Amino acid sequence: MEKEFIELITKHQGILHKICNVYFIRNPYKEDYYQEILIRLWKSYPSFRNESAFSTWLYRVALNTAIDIIRKQNLQPVHTELSKIDYNKPDHENNIESEKKEILYQAISHLSDVEKAIIILHLEDYNYKEISEIIGISESNTGVKINRIKTQLIKILNHGQK
Amino acid sequence: MDKNDIKSMWHEAHNISDAIIFDKVSIEKAITMTHSKIISKTLLDIKLKVFVFILILTIYVGLMLYAFVYLGLNLSVYSLVPLTLAGLFLLIKTTTEIGRLLVLTKTADNMSVKDSVLFFRKRLNRIKRADFISYLVFLYLSSILIVFNYLTDIGGTKNLSWGNQVVPIPLLGILILMLLLIPWFIKYQDNQKYKNLYLNLNESARHLGCTSETI
């Protein structure tokens, strides 16, 4: 099971990368949170029953974990010294290759945690039905939300380009 | 820029490079851990606090039992009040930290985002309610016991002394009032402690279209 999980995660690492960038773009603990998401994926893996695509399940657990981490930071701020000591800043930190990527992530960072989850799934080409299942809202509501979020993002992007 | 441009912008941005960026993190190593280092450290800090408070509380209870049951010590109210307050303080601190630990370790990753928010909110409410009810029961029963003891004069309660003077009824009244108010103070304190967490949960619930009945 472990080997299978590692193979699947390696194959879908891009998803985790995107989720971490969306939720922890300027966070010095990004690498650590990535690791936490991995750990919680592994803990939840026995419950994955192939009823949905692995990537769908991965999004569900990873998004819940990322939102959970942010939520709980409100209750207990993370230890501030450890990451400076134990972790070197990753080479890629703040070195997002594309300017477009940088602008886009910056714009998305203005959204709420739930809006971030919805838009990342939409941008990753998930249809309304799949998004509604992962998020837990109706398909029609998903469509409305996506439209609103996109309008909001365009406003942010245009404002930033002025 | 129109709405479709966002999607193409996203795809263009991620076409450039989506190489394995977190190469320092070994997946094999990660899955042998219980939590990431930073989360472990945060939880360890709270566990350590809980351990210290439980230890002090145990020593306190042990000493009280030794003094009052084994040695049969008979202290004046003057000595009993600070001792009781110290015990209450330890109890409050211990349960507060246990509550915080319980909240931090509860997760619901396999559910939909909406169900996860609702599940977490329910758990948080349950922890808060249990905290409040346990104080309410413990302190209200203590108050009833004090009043009952006073009325029936068990153990000469009516002649309890404070600096060689019989304790006046208003003083006992204030003590009872304090005991009755503490659970409500704890409730207020909990609301303050979890304020930001509730703000976050409420915001998520609003975006997910949760009605007031569901949360």
Side-chain angles (χ1 to χ4, degrees), chain B residues 93-146:
Chain B
K93 287 300 284 179
T94 310
T95 50
T96 301
E97 291 304 327
I98 290 173
R100 192 188 291 260
L101 187 64
L102 284 175
V103 170
L104 285 172
T105 48
K106 292 288 172 223
T107 55
D109 300 334
N110 271 307
M111 299 173 173
S112 67
V113 173
K114 183 180 181 177
D115 288 344
S116 175
V117 167
L118 295 179
F119 172 87
F120 186 78
R121 169 101 190 200
K122 210 183 264 182
R123 285 285 176 144
L124 185 62
N125 284 341
R126 196 181 295 173
I127 289 165
K128 268 180 64 188
R129 206 179 306 128
D131 210 20
F132 174 69
I133 290 173
S134 52
Y135 278 112
L136 198 75
V137 170
F138 173 70
L139 295 172
Y140 275 53
L141 277 178
S142 303
S143 307
I144 292 167
L145 205 70
I146 291 173

Side-chain angles (χ1 to χ4, degrees), chain B residues 32-201:
Chain B
T32 59
M33 298 160 78
T34 321
H35 286 289
S36 66
K37 282 193 178 181
I38 200 81
I39 304 282
S40 293
K41 180 77 185 109
T42 308
L43 290 176
L44 189 72
D45 285 350
I46 304 176
K47 282 177 188 167
L48 201 69
K49 270 189 196 172
V50 170
F51 174 75
V52 170
F53 281 122
I54 288 177
L55 190 75
I56 298 172
L57 196 64
T58 311
I59 293 170
Y60 171 86
V61 172
L63 282 174
M64 290 300 111
L65 286 174
Y66 179 74
F68 292 107
V69 179
Y70 186 73
L71 295 179
L73 210 65
N74 198 2
L75 294 178
S76 68
V77 176
Y78 188 74
S79 315
L80 276 175
V81 169
L83 274 176
T84 312
L85 288 177
L88 271 175
F89 172 77
L90 282 173
L91 192 71
I92 290 168
K93 287 300 284 179
T94 310
T95 50
T96 301
E97 291 304 327
I98 290 173
R100 192 188 291 260
L101 187 64
L102 284 175
V103 170
L104 285 172
T105 48
K106 292 288 172 223
T107 55
D109 300 334
N110 271 307
M111 299 173 173
S112 67
V113 173
K114 183 180 181 177
D115 288 344
S116 175
V117 167
L118 295 179
F119 172 87
F120 186 78
R121 169 101 190 200
K122 210 183 264 182
R123 285 285 176 144
L124 185 62
N125 284 341
R126 196 181 295 173
I127 289 165
K128 268 180 64 188
R129 206 179 306 128
D131 210 20
F132 174 69
I133 290 173
S134 52
Y135 278 112
L136 198 75
V137 170
F138 173 70
L139 295 172
Y140 275 53
L141 277 178
S142 303
S143 307
I144 292 167
L145 205 70
I146 291 173
V147 173
F148 180 76
N149 277 0
Y150 187 81
L151 292 176
T152 52
D153 200 21
I154 296 172
T157 335
K158 280 184 178 168
N159 296 316
L160 279 175
S161 62
W162 180 293
N164 295 326
Q165 285 186 330
V166 173
V167 178
I169 294 177
L171 193 65
L172 271 179
I174 290 169
L175 182 71
I176 290 167
L177 193 70
M178 269 175 66
L179 292 177
L180 296 179
L181 287 177
I182 285 174
W184 303 98
F185 170 72
I186 301 287
K187 193 176 186 179
Y188 169 78
Q189 205 191 25
D190 272 357
N191 285 340
Q192 292 302 310
K193 185 173 66 184
Y194 298 123
K195 195 177 168 186
N196 288 335
L197 199 53
Y198 271 109
L199 281 175
N200 182 291
L201 282 168

Side-chain angles (χ1 to χ4, degrees), chain A residues 4 54 132:
Chain A
E4 184 189 64
F54 178 77
S132 67

